[in-house]
Amino acid sequence: MRAADLIMLLLIFGIMYFLLIRPQQKRLKEHQAMLAALRRGDQVVTQGGVVGKIVKVKDEVGEIEVEIASGVIIRVMKPTIVSVLNKTEPTKS
């Protein structure tokens, strides 16, 4: 293998890292931080497109209860939350 081939291979790997791997890792960290900050009262969207308000967060099980209509509560796994629409302010004690 010539030195030029090795340099080309390293250059391709470097480009792939900065264009694909690094942004994906950043999005994953942001998503995990968003999931850790979920609290009662937040309005969320799931991967299935369901919009609802968090009623209860069960961290030990990894799921949340979401009210999608008046009196209709569903259980959703935390990783399926895509975004938070309205964030509630933390209560001051």
Side-chain angles (χ1 to χ4, degrees):
M1 185 181 268
R2 296 186 332 233
D5 293 338
L6 184 60
I7 291 172
M8 185 61 79
L9 186 64
L10 291 174
L11 182 64
I12 290 172
F13 179 75
I15 291 171
M16 294 296 284
Y17 175 78
F18 282 107
L19 292 179
L20 297 175
I21 298 169
R22 192 165 170 240
Q24 181 63 29
Q25 289 175 341
K26 183 179 177 186
R27 276 193 300 271
L28 180 62
K29 285 181 183 180
E30 290 171 354
H31 187 256
Q32 288 174 341
M34 179 199 62
L35 292 179
L38 288 176
R39 72 173 119 250
R40 186 174 180 258
D42 291 350
Q43 189 174 9
V44 296
V45 178
T46 67
Q47 285 178 344
V50 178
V51 178
K53 188 175 184 178
I54 296 178
V55 177
K56 185 188 288 184
V57 178
K58 298 179 181 179
D59 283 325
E60 63 278 352
V61 186
E63 66 182 35
I64 59 175
E65 291 183 1
V66 179
E67 184 175 28
I68 58 174
S70 182
V72 180
I73 297 175
I74 59 173
R75 292 180 5 205
V76 178
M77 298 303 295
K78 275 180 112 174
T80 63
I81 300 299
V82 175
S83 66
V84 178
L85 298 177
N86 293 328
K87 194 85 174 134
T88 58
E89 294 299 321
T91 58
K92 297 180 179 174
S93 35

